Amino acid sequence: MSVESPLNIVICWHMHQPQYCDLISGTYQLPWSYLHATKDYIDMAAHLEAVPEARAVVNFAPILLEQLSDYAGQVNGFLSENKPIRDPLLAALASAVLPGSKDHRMELVSACLRVNELRSIKRFEPYQKLAEMARWFHEHPSGMLYIGDQFITDLLVWYHLAWMGETVRRKNTLIQQLMDKGTGFTLHDRRELVKVIGELLSSVIDRYRVLAEHGRIELAMSPYAHPIVPLLLDINTARDAMPDIVMPALSNYPGGEERARWHISEGISTFEQYFDKRPKGCWPSEGGVSMAALAKLEEFGFSWAASGESVFRHSQSNPANKSIAGSSLYQGYRMADGELACFFRDDGLSDLIGFTYSDWHADDAVSNLIEHLENIAASTRKQDNPLVSIILDGENAWEHFPENGYYFLNTLYKRLAAHPDIRMTTFSDYLESSHKLPRIRKLVSGSWVYGTFSTWIGDKDKNRGWEMLVDAKKVFDATMQENSLSGEQVLAAQHQLSICEGSDWFWWFGDYNSADTVSDFERIFRLHLSNLYTMLGKEPPEYLSVVFAQGGGEPVQGGVMRKGQYTA
């Protein structure tokens, strides 16, 4: 293939976890932030470091950056000053004395099986044997009386080895020694493993900052605690793409405009704290956009945002947008009279990486992706400076790939960087050479999932979650009017409220999700709401002690990712 000018491609990875920490007790309820750090965030940085010619955009949720920093501080504090680790799973790995009760041991055993069975458990024979024993104990709980410390120790070590990045596994001598040892791990082995985990946690943010300083990546952000800003600003924007949606029993989110501003402002401050630079771009939480939300981002100085292909298709078919009826997906668009550029992901290519290529040989997968890109290049030959946007979760796909996507990512970056007719770039760099962009006069509000907000609102459990959140927000507003809290207490309550406003809780509500995961996130949501009432000096309502969402489905890849377009 030969074209007059290379096809621009932006690969944007979104890194995000909600706040798992109970801010009153300081205890983490789930370990996913530190586990994804040692496996996925570290690996992605290493792959980008290994191919200097590669370019990418990496988007971080600010609340994730704070958790990564907090975990690094916990491990360093434990190793240097014997301070307690506030994550039960990580604390168990580090502790000289393991839990003694049957119930606590069963919790640890269950936690150490929460990983991809095919790619992580069956890959390592010693871990597979431990897992088989652990499942027997689940089926015969009375047998827990006979579990010794060595079984728990070996299971804890192997679980954390399984959650180790492949780039670490191949280079770190200690990790290799532990894997070779296989069984009979000692307290010294565990402490050495904790040291490696601490080193990885302490380095991960810095590695991305250095990549950005060298012009290898562009760093972007989402609003602070990952709220869906369009719904905060006007909850009825959910009707834009779904006019018949069943809405919660409320007319708006009280004070939503102020809360949207808070999340954007706090997100920028947090980003600057860790990266010493103000971001130019924003992946709005869940790719959730509306005309008002994009205008708000532009007000705060952002030059670009992005969303899903279905948002573009819905907008393209709107009568107000006749001027772009036949326009290409492969470019940026400005909104009405604004200057902020919005890019739209190629759902097909993005979902090939997220859902299909994990079962392919890496060479075949990358060849297939490049073939698609070459076809796009040929079809856009007459278009001025076309750009393909591949945007997806940067953390959850890789556990489904062999070796955590090692061969795929390595091959992907090398071949794209070397391709004569493809230019890897970033959104900001692209905008420097593309000043004249077409305009969308009426954006149809929606998200990257199906171009709607149905993943977060419209289901009875999701709607109930919104009603509970609004109840708490009204109490928050009334307490602020009372002026009964100190300045420090107000800041703590604002922070706690922001966590409750995050999108992740609503993502998981609904009976199509797995029961275990719904149980985890439903419980933490109620915990966060209860903590908010407590911080406001109010008694939590009785309904927060009652489970309201239960799940029971078996979604693809556990439900942590969804395809951009609906398929029956």
Side-chain angles (χ1 to χ4, degrees):
M1 182 193 77
S2 178
V3 295
E4 294 179 3
S5 61
L7 175 71
N8 295 287
I9 175 174
V10 170
I11 301 179
C12 176
W13 307 113
H14 175 48
M15 310 300 199
H16 162 62
Q17 294 293 321
Q19 178 58 275
Y20 295 118
C21 185
D22 174 349
L23 296 188
I24 289 182
S25 71
T27 303
Y28 278 81
Q29 304 297 301
L30 289 172
W32 306 130
S33 295
Y34 89 83
L35 291 175
H36 279 295
T38 61
K39 186 170 76 72
D40 304 303
Y41 309 148
I42 285 291
D43 264 1
M44 185 61 73
H47 285 297
L48 287 163
E49 290 163 348
V51 185
E53 301 79 18
R55 297 292 180 269
V57 174
V58 181
N59 189 91
F60 279 99
I63 203 164
L64 171 61
L65 295 173
E66 290 185 337
Q67 291 180 82
L68 296 178
S69 177
D70 182 44
Y71 269 112
Q74 288 182 62
V75 176
N76 291 336
F78 171 78
L79 294 173
S80 62
E81 303 176 49
N82 297 311
K83 292 183 177 180
I85 291 176
R86 293 177 282 104
D87 183 294
L89 188 61
L90 187 56
L93 178 67
S95 177
V97 180
L98 293 170
S101 75
K102 185 178 75 172
D103 289 343
H104 284 163
R105 285 176 174 250
M106 183 59 84
E107 288 177 7
L108 273 182
V109 169
S110 298
C112 289
L113 296 179
R114 300 186 74 170
V115 68
N116 186 282
E117 182 176 2
L118 174 63
R119 302 300 190 191
S120 297
I121 294 179
K122 291 184 176 180
R123 179 183 177 187
F124 307 109
E125 184 177 352
Y127 190 16
Q128 185 174 359
K129 290 180 178 179
L130 291 166
E132 290 171 356
M133 294 171 64
R135 293 191 186 97
W136 187 90
F137 285 122
H138 271 288
E139 296 170 4
H140 306 86
S142 60
M144 289 296 293
L145 291 170
Y146 304 100
I147 285 185
D149 282 358
Q150 192 62 62
F151 175 78
I152 300 291
T153 291
D154 286 4
L155 193 57
L156 277 166
V157 170
W158 267 109
Y159 185 70
H160 285 87
L161 290 175
W163 276 92
M164 198 60 58
E166 189 66 21
T167 58
V168 181
R169 197 188 314 282
R170 290 167 182 252
K171 292 183 178 180
N172 188 283
T173 302
L174 175 72
I175 298 302
Q176 293 170 351
Q177 290 173 345
L178 292 176
M179 291 176 60
D180 289 341
K181 185 173 183 178
T183 60
F185 298 113
T186 65
L187 174 59
H188 178 71
D189 292 331
R190 287 192 279 140
R191 290 290 175 89
E192 291 299 298
L193 180 54
V194 170
K195 287 181 183 178
V196 173
I197 292 171
E199 291 167 358
L200 296 174
L201 290 169
S202 294
S203 69
V204 63
I205 293 176
D206 287 341
R207 290 173 73 171
Y208 284 99
R209 182 174 61 238
V210 170
L211 282 165
E213 288 172 349
H214 291 168
R216 307 266 291 277
I217 65 172
E218 176 180 4
L219 290 167
M221 60 159 268
S222 298
Y224 175 74
H226 214 256
I228 299 183
V229 170
L231 297 183
L232 294 185
L233 293 173
D234 180 0
I235 201 164
N236 288 300
T237 56
R239 297 188 187 277
D240 277 13
M242 298 184 69
D244 298 327
I245 188 174
V246 177
M247 295 291 286
L250 51 100
S251 59
N252 59 43
Y253 185 75
E257 196 272 343
E258 179 184 2
R259 294 305 300 156
R261 292 182 62 86
W262 188 96
H263 280 278
I264 297 170
S265 176
E266 190 71 13
I268 292 171
S269 297
T270 304
F271 185 96
E272 290 178 327
Q273 176 185 344
Y274 291 104
F275 294 125
D276 301 322
K277 187 177 182 180
R278 191 180 181 94
K280 295 181 180 179
C282 176
W283 169 253
S285 313
E286 312 294 4
V289 292
S290 64
M291 294 293 282
L294 292 178
K296 192 64 62 181
L297 292 177
E298 183 170 354
E299 178 185 331
F300 277 86
F302 287 97
S303 60
W304 66 262
S307 187
E309 180 177 342
S310 292
V311 171
F312 172 71
R313 300 301 180 194
H314 292 166
S315 301
Q316 196 175 36
S317 62
N318 188 284
N321 296 319
K322 291 181 179 179
S323 63
I324 63 164
S327 295
S328 170
L329 171 71
Y330 303 117
Q331 58 189 321
Y333 287 83
R334 303 196 195 279
M335 299 298 116
D337 299 323
E339 290 304 310
L340 179 140
C342 190
F343 299 92
F344 300 94
R345 80 194 285 262
D346 184 309
D347 284 345
L349 297 186
S350 302
D351 288 345
L352 280 173
I353 296 175
F355 294 92
T356 300
Y357 288 153
S358 59
D359 294 326
W360 291 34
H361 189 285
D363 290 338
D364 295 336
V366 174
S367 292
N368 182 261
L369 182 67
I370 288 176
E371 182 180 355
H372 283 296
L373 291 171
E374 289 174 343
N375 290 336
I376 292 171
S379 68
T380 58
R381 188 170 299 165
K382 295 182 180 179
Q383 183 182 328
D384 181 36
N385 212 20
L387 170 77
V388 177
S389 300
I390 295 178
I391 307 173
L392 69 153
D393 184 317
E395 59 209 359
N396 286 306
W398 313 121
E399 69 176 275
H400 300 279
F401 281 72
E403 282 75 61
N404 204 44
Y406 179 87
Y407 295 107
F408 174 78
L409 287 168
N410 183 264
T411 304
L412 176 73
Y413 286 134
K414 285 183 176 178
R415 290 188 59 185
L416 288 180
H419 198 294
D421 299 318
I422 293 173
R423 178 193 293 122
M424 299 187 80
T425 187
T426 67
F427 289 127
S428 287
D429 285 349
Y430 172 81
L431 287 174
E432 290 183 4
S433 60
S434 295
H435 303 291
K436 189 175 182 180
L437 300 176
R439 292 188 178 274
I440 294 177
R441 295 296 171 185
K442 173 63 176 76
L443 185 77
V444 177
S445 306
S447 76
W448 72 271
V449 185
Y450 317 148
T452 73
F453 292 117
S454 61
T455 301
W456 303 274
I457 196 169
D459 169 275
K460 66 179 181 64
D461 291 341
K462 299 177 192 296
N463 287 351
R464 180 59 187 141
W466 276 100
E467 291 161 3
M468 293 160 68
L469 173 60
V470 168
D471 285 350
K473 179 58 165 59
K474 290 178 178 177
V475 173
F476 173 90
D477 290 343
T479 305
M480 294 302 108
Q481 289 293 320
E482 294 170 2
N483 200 27
S484 58
L485 303 181
S486 68
E488 185 176 332
Q489 289 173 322
V490 169
L491 291 176
Q494 287 177 332
H495 190 199
Q496 184 65 41
L497 173 62
S498 75
I499 293 168
C500 300
E501 292 167 332
S503 69
D504 295 81
W505 323 117
F506 302 92
W507 170 288
W508 288 107
F509 303 155
D511 56 13
Y512 53 83
N513 281 314
S514 66
D516 287 346
T517 307
V518 172
S519 175
D520 283 340
F521 281 81
E522 187 269 353
R523 179 184 64 82
I524 298 173
F525 178 65
R526 288 187 291 115
L527 174 65
H528 283 317
L529 284 175
S530 177
N531 284 351
L532 176 58
Y533 281 98
T534 300
M535 290 179 179
L536 295 171
K538 312 297 183 185
E539 180 176 312
E542 181 65 27
Y543 63 67
L544 287 181
S545 66
V546 180
V547 173
F548 73 95
Q550 294 177 319
E554 295 182 2
V556 176
Q557 296 192 353
V560 293
M561 298 191 302
R562 299 216 168 101
K563 293 185 177 181
Q565 298 186 19
Y566 178 77
T567 54

